[in-house]
Amino acid sequence: MRRLADFGVDILIEDVMKKYALVGTGGRAGLYISAIGGTWRNNARMVAFCDTNQTRMNYANTLLQKEGAEPVSTWKAAQFEEMIRETRPDIVIVTTMDRTHDDYIVRALHAGCDVITEKPMTIDEKRALRILDAIEETGHTVRVAFNYRYAPHHSKVRELLMQGAIGNVTSVHFEWLLNTEHGADYFRRWHREKRNSGGLLVHKSTHHFDLMNFWLASYPERVYAEGSLQFYGKENAEKRGVTQFYPRAHGHAEAKDDPFALNMADNPQLKALYLDAEYEDNYFRDQSVFSDGITIEDTMSVLVKYQNNVQLTYSLNAYLPWEGLNVVFNGTEGRLEMKIVEKSYVNAGGKRENEGSLEQCDITVFPMFAEPWKAEFNLGEGGHGGGDNAMLADLFGEPGNDPLQRAADHRAGAMSILTGIAGNISMQQQRPVNFKEFELVSRLAKR
């Protein structure tokens, strides 16, 4: 073991590293495994994996070993507290199914750990209040992994708005396009049931609503939403004349020529993570996007009024020909436009650095009485337009000052999901939803 001899300190470097346990060893876990086992091995050490599925935990250990790290102990979900007592992590990383985030976050906090959680922090207000209670009771912290904040182009927008490039922002139009590869993937997996994910307005749009809060330095005041399932699902396929259906791709000849089918057998990572693990929990990663049982929407429109009087029109569609976004900021001194085209991908279906990487990114400022100009910025390398690597450096690297304040705590996690939660209520009850209706908002305001 190396010692801090150069500093006259006789302790093991391993003793001053932060220790991490990870719960939920599915597709997103690989991001943290490679960071801790590889890039940031001198700052962080993985000590345990926890999951309901032993096959996936075994695969997580193979990923850790590929980075040159030693395999760690594995623990079933029922052994979560025992794992913490035995391995004594400083921080627990939560990458489980969305509806279970709050359970592991609360248990980790009460066991004496800080938490890093994947987005969304949780899926409804009741669960968010549980997390807030646990934070207040224990004094431990929760970080939410909003990688999009760290992407250079998104950071550039925040910088330009902070500098007053278009004066005071008055309105925003934000459309996010999910294509027929990535977008369809939400309708194959556990996300397809709203009880698991909160629907795409919570699971996916929490990224976008967090960016809005981040960009505008404000929070929503009122939300109205419309949404429905118009493309995916068996009934919609029948309306388009489809007559052949299958429950899942694997083992069904009808899926062979379907561009919406996911063939896990030919993808080593998907096979190891899911197909080889099915015998333990009967979780099928490759369900047909045109089967019954889908309870989330694929077509959504949201109108949001912010506390600083900005008006947002937002849309999310999950079956479009290309992937990316158009966002437009109108201000008292001009207009800012950003267009992004992302490379298509399937979660955990390829190289991690390709997930959300960019094919095109342009930011143009249109001053009210001057010529338009292109904003200059360095394109980030790696997944999500460079956001993944920059976020990991912030989580596991040396602490430093960030003038853009991109680190997201539980407050940011809560306020981002509340827009989607309000949207779900609005769609269900066909009415505008005021944020003052949420106990969580008043609780956070008192802190």
Side-chain angles (χ1 to χ4, degrees):
M1 291 290 182
R2 291 171 296 163
R3 298 178 182 272
L4 300 181
D6 291 344
F7 301 93
V9 181
D10 190 29
I11 60 173
L12 298 176
I13 285 181
E14 193 171 89
D15 291 336
V16 297
M17 289 181 179
K18 289 284 188 182
K19 296 190 296 183
Y20 295 82
L22 184 144
V23 55
T25 54
R28 192 62 179 164
L31 179 77
Y32 301 97
I33 294 170
S34 62
I36 294 173
T39 308
W40 300 105
R41 68 179 67 185
N42 292 330
N43 295 51
R45 181 163 65 98
M46 192 73 76
V47 296
F49 291 131
C50 181
D51 201 299
T52 57
N53 190 294
Q54 186 64 49
T55 301
R56 278 197 287 276
M57 288 193 285
N58 293 343
Y59 181 67
N61 261 325
T62 67
L63 296 179
L64 198 58
Q65 289 175 285
K66 285 180 182 178
E67 298 293 340
E70 294 294 320
V72 299
S73 59
T74 60
W75 306 76
K76 286 297 187 71
Q79 300 172 299
F80 183 72
E81 281 80 9
E82 182 183 354
M83 174 194 72
I84 292 176
R85 286 195 303 270
E86 292 295 322
T87 63
R88 301 176 63 187
D90 301 293
I91 299 172
V92 172
I93 301 172
V94 178
T95 57
T96 59
M97 185 184 297
D98 295 351
R99 68 173 169 84
T100 65
H101 282 187
D102 67 302
D103 183 53
Y104 289 111
I105 291 170
V106 169
R107 291 164 67 186
L109 293 171
H110 281 294
C113 301
D114 293 328
V115 174
I116 296 170
T117 182
E118 263 298 312
K119 62 81 194 167
M121 186 176 76
T122 187
I123 62 170
D124 59 35
E125 186 191 19
K126 182 179 178 181
R127 288 175 167 89
L129 285 168
R130 284 194 67 217
I131 294 171
L132 183 58
D133 287 341
I135 291 170
E136 293 176 345
E137 290 164 5
T138 65
H140 286 285
T141 63
V142 174
R143 283 278 299 269
V144 183
F146 282 128
N147 49 1
Y148 272 123
R149 285 186 174 210
Y150 292 86
H153 46 287
H154 294 319
S155 296
K156 187 64 178 181
V157 170
R158 177 165 168 86
E159 180 185 326
L160 290 169
L161 295 178
M162 289 173 65
Q163 293 171 349
I166 59 169
N168 295 324
V169 178
T170 56
S171 65
V172 183
H173 175 67
F174 189 159
E175 62 169 342
W176 194 281
L177 300 83
L178 291 168
N179 68 4
T180 50
E181 183 175 18
H182 182 205
D185 208 34
Y186 295 108
F187 298 83
R188 301 183 184 110
R189 302 182 278 162
W190 53 262
H191 309 70
R192 73 204 316 252
E193 295 184 56
K194 187 170 278 194
R195 70 182 186 91
N196 290 331
S197 65
L200 290 179
L201 278 188
V202 173
H203 175 81
K204 181 62 179 175
S205 299
T206 185
H207 266 317
H208 315 146
F209 297 141
D210 176 69
L211 281 174
M212 287 303 307
N213 296 343
F214 175 66
W215 283 331
L216 298 177
S218 186
Y219 291 125
E221 188 176 90
R222 186 166 54 252
V223 174
Y224 180 79
E226 294 282 355
S228 57
L229 185 68
Q230 298 198 40
F231 183 78
Y232 298 110
K234 187 173 183 179
E235 185 177 353
N236 288 320
E238 288 174 333
K239 290 177 181 177
R240 295 192 296 272
V242 177
T243 58
Q244 285 193 321
F245 295 92
Y246 56 90
R248 59 171 302 190
H250 185 70
H252 289 269
E254 299 90 341
K256 182 179 179 181
D257 297 321
D258 183 0
F260 288 93
L262 182 67
N263 185 354
M264 295 191 294
D266 292 339
N267 185 297
Q269 184 162 288
L270 290 175
K271 181 176 182 297
L273 272 173
Y274 301 108
L275 190 60
D276 293 347
E278 286 179 0
Y279 75 95
E280 289 193 51
D281 55 16
N282 290 316
Y283 172 59
F284 303 129
R285 170 69 175 78
D286 61 344
Q287 296 177 81
S288 169
V289 300
F290 300 118
S291 59
D292 288 325
I294 297 172
T295 56
I296 64 173
E297 300 81 14
D298 58 21
T299 307
M300 290 143 281
S301 301
V302 185
L303 180 64
V304 185
K305 169 72 177 303
Y306 285 82
Q307 293 174 3
N308 61 359
N309 291 322
V310 174
Q311 302 170 33
L312 166 70
T313 54
Y314 170 86
S315 66
L316 177 67
N317 295 276
Y319 45 87
L320 299 181
W322 60 275
E323 177 105 359
L325 68 87
N326 290 306
V327 61
V328 175
F329 298 82
N330 299 310
T332 56
E333 297 177 20
R335 176 180 172 97
L336 185 154
E337 298 182 358
M338 178 167 64
K339 178 175 181 176
I340 296 172
V341 178
E342 292 189 354
K343 293 180 180 177
S344 184
Y345 70 96
V346 169
N347 185 62
K351 293 183 178 179
R352 204 170 300 110
E353 58 268 23
N354 292 335
E355 294 185 1
S357 58
L358 305 184
E359 291 186 354
Q360 175 188 343
C361 182
D362 295 301
I363 301 175
T364 307
V365 177
F366 297 83
M368 192 169 286
F369 300 109
E371 291 298 311
W373 51 274
K374 297 277 188 182
E376 295 184 0
F377 55 94
N378 294 320
L379 284 175
E381 295 182 359
H384 295 93
D388 284 350
N389 288 340
M391 180 189 71
L392 293 170
D394 191 28
L395 288 173
F396 305 122
E398 299 299 329
N401 180 48
D402 180 3
L404 297 179
Q405 299 179 320
R406 290 172 295 183
D409 61 7
H410 68 280
R411 180 186 178 90
M415 295 306 290
S416 67
I417 58 172
L418 275 182
T419 308
I421 291 167
N424 282 334
I425 295 171
S426 179
M427 288 190 293
Q428 182 181 27
Q429 300 182 4
Q430 296 186 324
R431 67 175 180 88
V433 176
N434 291 303
F435 263 45
K436 64 183 179 181
E437 298 177 31
F438 294 112
E439 178 186 346
L440 187 61
V441 173
S442 60
R443 288 275 301 278
L444 289 171
K446 294 176 182 178
R447 289 176 60 84

